[in-house]
Amino acid sequence: MLDFYLLADNQNMPNYPEEEECKLIGSIDDQIFDRLKVKKIIPERFDYHSDFRWDTSLIRQIRVNIQKHTVNDSDIQSLLLLLDTAKSYDSGLVAYAD
């Protein structure tokens, strides 16, 4: 699973989320991640098996990409839950592959 944690844009990315007591907000599996990349929702440069960070501006760009697709898509809904949570905290996200 790819675990997503809240991380403020001005905060350094920790090696492990436990180091900074980051708040886990959800996970997606590799199949959902791959389908979202095929749909061009998640940019190609991100790899499921590598840790990465999305700042608030990238999250906004991803939301714009989502508007071009059917929102009833279950893969998109899974991602929207994560993005909506980050937005409600006015936070970016960091993802850790486990």
Short mmCIF file of all heavy atoms in Angstrom, two decimals, residues 72-97:
data_model
loop_
_atom_site.label_atom_id
_atom_site.label_comp_id
_atom_site.label_asym_id
_atom_site.label_seq_id
_atom_site.Cartn_x
_atom_site.Cartn_y
_atom_site.Cartn_z
N ASN A 72 -17.58 9.83 -11.03
CA ASN A 72 -18.14 8.60 -10.45
C ASN A 72 -17.16 7.44 -10.47
O ASN A 72 -17.45 6.38 -9.96
CB ASN A 72 -19.41 8.20 -11.21
CG ASN A 72 -20.52 9.21 -11.00
OD1 ASN A 72 -20.48 10.01 -10.10
ND2 ASN A 72 -21.52 9.16 -11.87
N ASP A 73 -16.02 7.64 -11.04
CA ASP A 73 -14.97 6.63 -11.12
C ASP A 73 -14.47 6.31 -9.71
O ASP A 73 -14.06 7.20 -8.96
CB ASP A 73 -13.84 7.21 -11.99
CG ASP A 73 -12.70 6.26 -12.22
OD1 ASP A 73 -12.15 5.73 -11.22
OD2 ASP A 73 -12.33 6.07 -13.38
N SER A 74 -14.47 5.03 -9.35
CA SER A 74 -14.09 4.63 -7.98
C SER A 74 -12.62 4.92 -7.69
O SER A 74 -12.26 5.25 -6.55
CB SER A 74 -14.40 3.16 -7.74
OG SER A 74 -13.66 2.34 -8.61
N ASP A 75 -11.76 4.83 -8.70
CA ASP A 75 -10.34 5.16 -8.49
C ASP A 75 -10.19 6.64 -8.15
O ASP A 75 -9.47 7.01 -7.23
CB ASP A 75 -9.51 4.85 -9.74
CG ASP A 75 -9.49 3.37 -10.07
OD1 ASP A 75 -9.64 2.54 -9.16
OD2 ASP A 75 -9.31 3.05 -11.26
N ILE A 76 -10.90 7.47 -8.89
CA ILE A 76 -10.84 8.91 -8.65
C ILE A 76 -11.43 9.24 -7.29
O ILE A 76 -10.89 10.08 -6.57
CB ILE A 76 -11.56 9.68 -9.78
CG1 ILE A 76 -10.76 9.53 -11.08
CG2 ILE A 76 -11.74 11.15 -9.43
CD1 ILE A 76 -11.43 10.09 -12.32
N GLN A 77 -12.49 8.57 -6.91
CA GLN A 77 -13.09 8.81 -5.60
C GLN A 77 -12.11 8.50 -4.48
O GLN A 77 -12.05 9.23 -3.48
CB GLN A 77 -14.38 7.99 -5.43
CG GLN A 77 -15.53 8.48 -6.28
CD GLN A 77 -15.93 9.89 -5.94
OE1 GLN A 77 -15.97 10.28 -4.78
NE2 GLN A 77 -16.20 10.68 -6.96
N SER A 78 -11.35 7.43 -4.62
CA SER A 78 -10.34 7.08 -3.61
C SER A 78 -9.31 8.19 -3.45
O SER A 78 -8.94 8.54 -2.33
CB SER A 78 -9.62 5.79 -4.00
OG SER A 78 -10.51 4.71 -4.06
N LEU A 79 -8.87 8.74 -4.57
CA LEU A 79 -7.89 9.82 -4.52
C LEU A 79 -8.52 11.11 -3.98
O LEU A 79 -7.90 11.83 -3.21
CB LEU A 79 -7.29 10.06 -5.90
CG LEU A 79 -6.22 11.13 -5.99
CD1 LEU A 79 -5.02 10.80 -5.09
CD2 LEU A 79 -5.76 11.30 -7.43
N LEU A 80 -9.76 11.39 -4.38
CA LEU A 80 -10.43 12.61 -3.92
C LEU A 80 -10.57 12.65 -2.40
O LEU A 80 -10.47 13.71 -1.81
CB LEU A 80 -11.81 12.75 -4.57
CG LEU A 80 -11.84 13.42 -5.93
CD1 LEU A 80 -13.23 13.36 -6.52
CD2 LEU A 80 -11.34 14.84 -5.87
N LEU A 81 -10.79 11.50 -1.78
CA LEU A 81 -10.86 11.47 -0.31
C LEU A 81 -9.56 12.00 0.30
O LEU A 81 -9.59 12.77 1.26
CB LEU A 81 -11.13 10.05 0.18
CG LEU A 81 -12.53 9.50 -0.06
CD1 LEU A 81 -12.59 8.02 0.29
CD2 LEU A 81 -13.55 10.29 0.74
N LEU A 82 -8.45 11.60 -0.27
CA LEU A 82 -7.15 12.06 0.22
C LEU A 82 -6.95 13.55 -0.04
O LEU A 82 -6.53 14.30 0.84
CB LEU A 82 -6.02 11.27 -0.44
CG LEU A 82 -6.03 9.75 -0.22
CD1 LEU A 82 -5.01 9.08 -1.12
CD2 LEU A 82 -5.80 9.41 1.23
N LEU A 83 -7.29 13.96 -1.26
CA LEU A 83 -7.10 15.37 -1.63
C LEU A 83 -8.02 16.29 -0.84
O LEU A 83 -7.61 17.38 -0.43
CB LEU A 83 -7.35 15.56 -3.13
CG LEU A 83 -6.46 14.76 -4.08
CD1 LEU A 83 -6.82 15.06 -5.52
CD2 LEU A 83 -4.99 15.01 -3.82
N ASP A 84 -9.25 15.85 -0.61
CA ASP A 84 -10.20 16.66 0.17
C ASP A 84 -9.73 16.82 1.61
O ASP A 84 -9.87 17.88 2.21
CB ASP A 84 -11.60 16.06 0.13
CG ASP A 84 -12.26 16.21 -1.23
OD1 ASP A 84 -11.77 16.99 -2.07
OD2 ASP A 84 -13.29 15.53 -1.46
N THR A 85 -9.17 15.76 2.17
CA THR A 85 -8.66 15.82 3.53
C THR A 85 -7.49 16.80 3.61
O THR A 85 -7.44 17.64 4.52
CB THR A 85 -8.23 14.43 4.03
OG1 THR A 85 -9.37 13.55 3.97
CG2 THR A 85 -7.72 14.49 5.46
N ALA A 86 -6.59 16.72 2.65
CA ALA A 86 -5.45 17.65 2.63
C ALA A 86 -5.95 19.08 2.50
O ALA A 86 -5.45 19.98 3.20
CB ALA A 86 -4.51 17.30 1.48
N LYS A 87 -6.94 19.30 1.65
CA LYS A 87 -7.48 20.65 1.48
C LYS A 87 -8.12 21.16 2.77
O LYS A 87 -7.94 22.32 3.14
CB LYS A 87 -8.51 20.66 0.35
CG LYS A 87 -9.04 22.04 0.05
CD LYS A 87 -10.01 22.02 -1.11
CE LYS A 87 -10.52 23.42 -1.37
NZ LYS A 87 -11.50 23.44 -2.46
N SER A 88 -8.83 20.30 3.47
CA SER A 88 -9.48 20.73 4.71
C SER A 88 -8.46 21.13 5.78
O SER A 88 -8.76 21.95 6.65
CB SER A 88 -10.43 19.65 5.24
OG SER A 88 -9.71 18.56 5.75
N TYR A 89 -7.26 20.58 5.71
CA TYR A 89 -6.19 20.94 6.64
C TYR A 89 -5.25 22.01 6.05
O TYR A 89 -4.26 22.37 6.68
CB TYR A 89 -5.36 19.70 7.01
CG TYR A 89 -6.01 18.82 8.03
CD1 TYR A 89 -6.86 17.78 7.63
CD2 TYR A 89 -5.79 18.99 9.38
CE1 TYR A 89 -7.46 16.95 8.56
CE2 TYR A 89 -6.38 18.16 10.32
CZ TYR A 89 -7.22 17.15 9.90
OH TYR A 89 -7.80 16.32 10.84
N ASP A 90 -5.54 22.45 4.82
CA ASP A 90 -4.67 23.39 4.11
C ASP A 90 -3.23 22.87 4.13
O ASP A 90 -2.29 23.55 4.54
CB ASP A 90 -4.76 24.79 4.70
CG ASP A 90 -4.11 25.83 3.81
OD1 ASP A 90 -4.08 25.64 2.57
OD2 ASP A 90 -3.60 26.84 4.35
N SER A 91 -3.09 21.62 3.68
CA SER A 91 -1.83 20.91 3.80
C SER A 91 -1.48 20.20 2.50
O SER A 91 -2.36 19.91 1.67
CB SER A 91 -1.94 19.88 4.92
OG SER A 91 -0.75 19.12 5.05
N GLY A 92 -0.21 19.93 2.34
CA GLY A 92 0.24 19.06 1.27
C GLY A 92 0.19 17.62 1.76
O GLY A 92 -0.28 17.34 2.86
N LEU A 93 0.67 16.73 0.92
CA LEU A 93 0.70 15.31 1.26
C LEU A 93 2.08 14.73 1.01
O LEU A 93 2.82 15.21 0.15
CB LEU A 93 -0.30 14.53 0.38
CG LEU A 93 -1.77 14.82 0.57
CD1 LEU A 93 -2.59 14.14 -0.52
CD2 LEU A 93 -2.22 14.38 1.95
N VAL A 94 2.39 13.71 1.76
CA VAL A 94 3.60 12.95 1.52
C VAL A 94 3.16 11.49 1.50
O VAL A 94 2.29 11.07 2.26
CB VAL A 94 4.69 13.22 2.60
CG1 VAL A 94 4.23 12.83 3.97
CG2 VAL A 94 5.99 12.54 2.25
N ALA A 95 3.72 10.73 0.54
CA ALA A 95 3.35 9.32 0.38
C ALA A 95 4.57 8.44 0.64
O ALA A 95 5.67 8.73 0.17
CB ALA A 95 2.83 9.08 -1.03
N TYR A 96 4.33 7.39 1.39
CA TYR A 96 5.37 6.42 1.72
C TYR A 96 4.92 5.05 1.27
O TYR A 96 3.85 4.59 1.64
CB TYR A 96 5.67 6.39 3.22
CG TYR A 96 6.35 7.65 3.71
CD1 TYR A 96 5.61 8.69 4.23
CD2 TYR A 96 7.73 7.77 3.63
CE1 TYR A 96 6.22 9.85 4.67
CE2 TYR A 96 8.35 8.93 4.07
CZ TYR A 96 7.59 9.96 4.59
OH TYR A 96 8.20 11.11 5.01
N ALA A 97 5.76 4.41 0.47
CA ALA A 97 5.49 3.04 0.02
C ALA A 97 5.90 2.08 1.13
O ALA A 97 6.96 2.24 1.74
CB ALA A 97 6.26 2.74 -1.25
#
